[in-house]
Amino acid sequence: MTLLALLDYTAVLVFALTGALVASRAQLDIVGFAFLACLTGIGGGTLRDVLLDRNPVFWIADPVYLVVACAAALLVFFTAHLIESRYRAILWLDAAALGVAVAAGSGIALALDQAAGIVVVMGIVTGCAGGLMRDVVANEVPLVLKQGELYVTCALAGSLAAAAASWAGLTPASGAAICAAVTVTLRAGSLAFGWRLPVYRARPPRR
Amino acid sequence: MTLLALLDYTAVLVFALTGALVASRAQLDIVGFAFLACLTGIGGGTLRDVLLDRNPVFWIADPVYLVVACAAALLVFFTAHLIESRYRAILWLDAAALGVAVAAGSGIALALDQAAGIVVVMGIVTGCAGGLMRDVVANEVPLVLKQGELYVTCALAGSLAAAAASWAGLTPASGAAICAAVTVTLRAGSLAFGWRLPVYRARPPRR
Amino acid sequence: MTLLALLDYTAVLVFALTGALVASRAQLDIVGFAFLACLTGIGGGTLRDVLLDRNPVFWIADPVYLVVACAAALLVFFTAHLIESRYRAILWLDAAALGVAVAAGSGIALALDQAAGIVVVMGIVTGCAGGLMRDVVANEVPLVLKQGELYVTCALAGSLAAAAASWAGLTPASGAAICAAVTVTLRAGSLAFGWRLPVYRARPPRR
């Protein structure tokens, strides 16, 4: 298995776990679990492939991705009651999935020799779109837009690191590792220690 | 007209009726009716065509689909007040559209010789995506995620039936008929008799 | 720069301003501003390009579009407090962007020799989809569906004007100008003077 496929598998698996956990909070049945797990797991990579016109889309070329997402749904369906805070589990699994997916997305754009700006966008799209679809469909506040937390910022920093690593001549594997590490570290720091950027605050208008 | 085109026309028409009924509940004007009717009618098939890279998308190849959806919007605009419960009308029309669209989606994937897993997914996507877009845009609780009802499950069962029929050597027409029958029967049973799968219920954690 | 690229640049810039203003109302950080600005700015044109299978998508072919959207985000981040009513600013900038984007979308479909129905749909998609994505992601009531206002209607009228101008043999530049003028005039009339179409109102059912 190539490095990029391995990253995609891991991202699909971990995002699918978060989708299934959201399904458990919404008290859906097993098919609802599988639906949200697949949407979250393959959503980001699918958007990336459609935008880059990669044919066929990764999970059509290899339907095992769907099996992985459904297995994650099954696992969560029978074990979610063992978890003390499903919301915290979603946040932390989502952070891990974000790191891997950003590495997968930027790696694939680099392998296609895209411009640096496109590499960065594809990292962000692959990392953020699946979770965004999950939250919009399940009608939760999108993690992407949660005030006072780093989310897209982590994906942006990770993608920039991947682009820089490639520009510096590092191997794709090192680049992916650095990218995932930067993304997860920033996101974990935001979750655990409240790292954040200054947010916009309305000041009274001049007159 | 081929069988697959006929299925697509029917699905577009009936889904468009549900979109227009949602517009009537939101008290939109005639263009709002046409917008929601087109979105709901062609949304699922469009996503299917983009994912399968069918070019051009079905309603670009044949804009008559748009005429059908707009005619449905016009019909509902002038007759919706005759319906006693528009919400019940939406539910039952949506059930009929779901059956036809799942048959269209799985049939097209079979005609393209896709793997069984992809046939099943395309049936689900074609069946569920239009209604999901309608509900997300109109800010209603998506039917897809309504607790304690079968929805994606019906599409899944119908697609599996279509794949099995094709594997057993039945003609595409028989396969489509079986697929639509399975889907609509399950959905109607869920609406009328409360058929359902066990839902996830949080049990107290072990400690 | 060709006329169509100029229209796309302008639409991206002005839509990006509206996305950033929505981000300021949600008190996001600078990366959140850039995210919503890019989504709103390039969302409509991206959907158009995916549907028409234009490869590569316009902002992948020319990443300067992303720079424009990010610059708009930066500008708003530092100046939004100077604006007295950000909601009014969003409405009016959105009206201007709508006009330009409809002209860009219908112009590109005309340049590809699409059927008149597709030209109209591409005008509407390019004009409305970016703002719709912005509103769905930010969980605001979509402008597209606001009761008692013209929105999709303006895009429809503008696109019809563009198709008619092309049919009448006018130059693309005149067609684009007429299209944008029709769209913006209708939308401005709706905002300023309350122009509207009759909305559907439930009458008591016959029995």
Side-chain angles (χ1 to χ4, degrees):
Chain A
M1 195 189 307
T2 67
L3 172 71
L4 290 172
L6 184 68
L7 289 171
D8 255 353
Y9 273 110
T10 312
V12 167
L13 174 67
V14 188
F15 264 134
L17 291 173
T18 71
L21 282 166
V22 168
S24 82
R25 280 162 54 92
Q27 306 213 332
L28 301 180
D29 60 30
I30 179 66
V31 178
F33 273 62
F35 180 80
L36 270 186
C38 287
L39 180 75
T40 314
I42 67 181
T46 303
L47 183 55
R48 171 199 66 205
D49 286 0
V50 167
L51 291 175
L52 288 176
D53 201 43
R54 290 176 86 212
N55 280 316
V57 172
F58 73 108
W59 51 270
I60 294 183
D62 178 4
V64 173
Y65 287 105
L66 299 172
V67 178
V68 169
C70 290
L74 210 63
L75 179 72
V76 171
F77 191 73
F78 287 112
T79 63
H81 64 285
L82 302 175
I83 299 170
E84 250 174 280
S85 166
R86 279 171 288 160
Y87 188 63
R88 285 191 69 77
I90 291 170
L91 285 180
W92 284 94
L93 284 171
D94 187 273
L98 182 69
V100 182
V102 170
S106 50
I108 283 171
L110 283 168
L112 293 172
D113 285 324
Q114 296 283 345
I118 304 305
V119 169
V120 171
V121 172
M122 288 304 149
I124 295 174
V125 162
T126 312
C128 301
L132 183 58
M133 292 178 198
R134 174 196 64 207
D135 295 340
V136 166
V137 168
N139 217 6
E140 309 231 355
V141 178
L143 286 180
V144 169
L145 292 185
K146 256 178 94 189
Q147 225 185 80
E149 275 187 24
L150 301 182
Y151 194 93
V152 182
T153 308
C154 313
L156 171 66
S159 304
L160 286 172
S166 160
W167 180 80
L170 273 64
T171 62
S174 324
I178 292 171
C179 167
V182 167
T183 308
V184 173
T185 306
L186 278 176
R187 179 73 183 135
S190 179
L191 286 175
F193 309 122
W195 293 355
R196 52 196 282 187
L197 288 176
V199 302
Y200 178 83
R201 251 176 242 292
R203 280 153 283 181
R206 278 206 179 143
R207 6 157 230 128
Chain B
M1 195 189 309
T2 68
L3 171 71
L4 290 172
L6 185 67
L7 288 171
D8 255 353
Y9 273 111
T10 312
V12 167
L13 174 67
V14 188
F15 264 133
L17 291 173
T18 71
L21 282 166
V22 168
S24 82
R25 281 162 53 92
Q27 306 213 331
L28 301 180
D29 60 30
I30 179 65
V31 179
F33 273 62
F35 181 79
L36 270 186
C38 287
L39 180 75
T40 314
I42 68 181
T46 304
L47 183 54
R48 173 199 64 205
D49 286 0
V50 167
L51 290 176
L52 289 175
D53 203 44
R54 290 176 86 214
N55 279 315
V57 171
F58 72 107
W59 52 269
I60 294 183
D62 178 5
V64 172
Y65 287 104
L66 299 172
V67 177
V68 168
C70 291
L74 209 64
L75 178 71
V76 171
F77 191 74
F78 288 111
T79 62
H81 63 285
L82 301 176
I83 299 170
E84 248 173 282
S85 165
R86 278 171 288 160
Y87 188 64
R88 284 190 69 78
I90 291 170
L91 285 180
W92 285 94
L93 284 170
D94 187 273
L98 182 68
V100 182
V102 169
S106 51
I108 283 170
L110 283 169
L112 293 172
D113 283 325
Q114 295 283 346
I118 304 305
V119 169
V120 171
V121 171
M122 288 305 149
I124 295 174
V125 162
T126 313
C128 301
L132 184 58
M133 292 177 196
R134 173 196 65 205
D135 295 340
V136 166
V137 168
N139 217 5
E140 309 231 355
V141 177
L143 285 182
V144 169
L145 292 185
K146 257 182 93 191
Q147 227 185 78
E149 275 187 22
L150 301 182
Y151 194 93
V152 182
T153 308
C154 313
L156 171 66
S159 304
L160 285 173
S166 159
W167 180 80
L170 272 66
T171 62
S174 325
I178 292 171
C179 168
V182 168
T183 308
V184 173
T185 305
L186 278 176
R187 179 75 184 133
S190 179
L191 286 175
F193 309 121
W195 294 355
R196 52 196 283 188
L197 288 176
V199 302
Y200 178 83
R201 250 176 244 292
R203 279 153 284 181
R206 277 203 183 148
R207 3 158 232 128
Chain C
M1 196 188 310
T2 67
L3 171 71
L4 290 173
L6 185 67
L7 289 171
D8 255 353
Y9 273 109
T10 312
V12 167
L13 174 68
V14 188
F15 264 133
L17 291 173
T18 70
L21 282 166
V22 168
S24 83
R25 281 164 52 94
Q27 305 213 331
L28 301 180
D29 59 30
I30 178 68
V31 179
F33 273 62
F35 181 80
L36 271 185
C38 287
L39 181 75
T40 314
I42 68 182
T46 303
L47 183 55
R48 171 199 66 204
D49 285 0
V50 167
L51 291 175
L52 289 176
D53 202 45
R54 290 176 86 213
N55 279 315
V57 172
F58 73 107
W59 52 270
I60 293 183
D62 178 4
V64 173
Y65 287 104
L66 299 172
V67 178
V68 169
C70 290
L74 210 64
L75 179 72
V76 171
F77 191 74
F78 288 111
T79 62
H81 64 285
L82 302 175
I83 300 169
E84 252 175 277
S85 166
R86 279 171 288 159
Y87 188 63
R88 285 190 69 77
I90 292 171
L91 286 180
W92 285 94
L93 284 170
D94 188 273
L98 182 69
V100 182
V102 170
S106 51
I108 283 171
L110 283 169
L112 293 172
D113 283 326
Q114 295 284 345
I118 304 303
V119 169
V120 171
V121 171
M122 288 304 148
I124 295 174
V125 162
T126 312
C128 301
L132 183 59
M133 291 178 198
R134 174 196 65 206
D135 295 340
V136 165
V137 168
N139 217 7
E140 309 231 356
V141 178
L143 286 181
V144 168
L145 293 185
K146 257 179 94 191
Q147 226 186 80
E149 275 188 22
L150 301 182
Y151 194 92
V152 182
T153 308
C154 314
L156 172 66
S159 303
L160 286 172
S166 159
W167 180 81
L170 272 64
T171 62
S174 325
I178 292 171
C179 167
V182 168
T183 307
V184 173
T185 305
L186 279 176
R187 179 74 185 135
S190 178
L191 285 176
F193 310 121
W195 294 354
R196 51 195 283 187
L197 288 177
V199 301
Y200 177 83
R201 251 176 244 290
R203 280 152 283 183
R206 276 205 182 146
R207 13 163 220 125

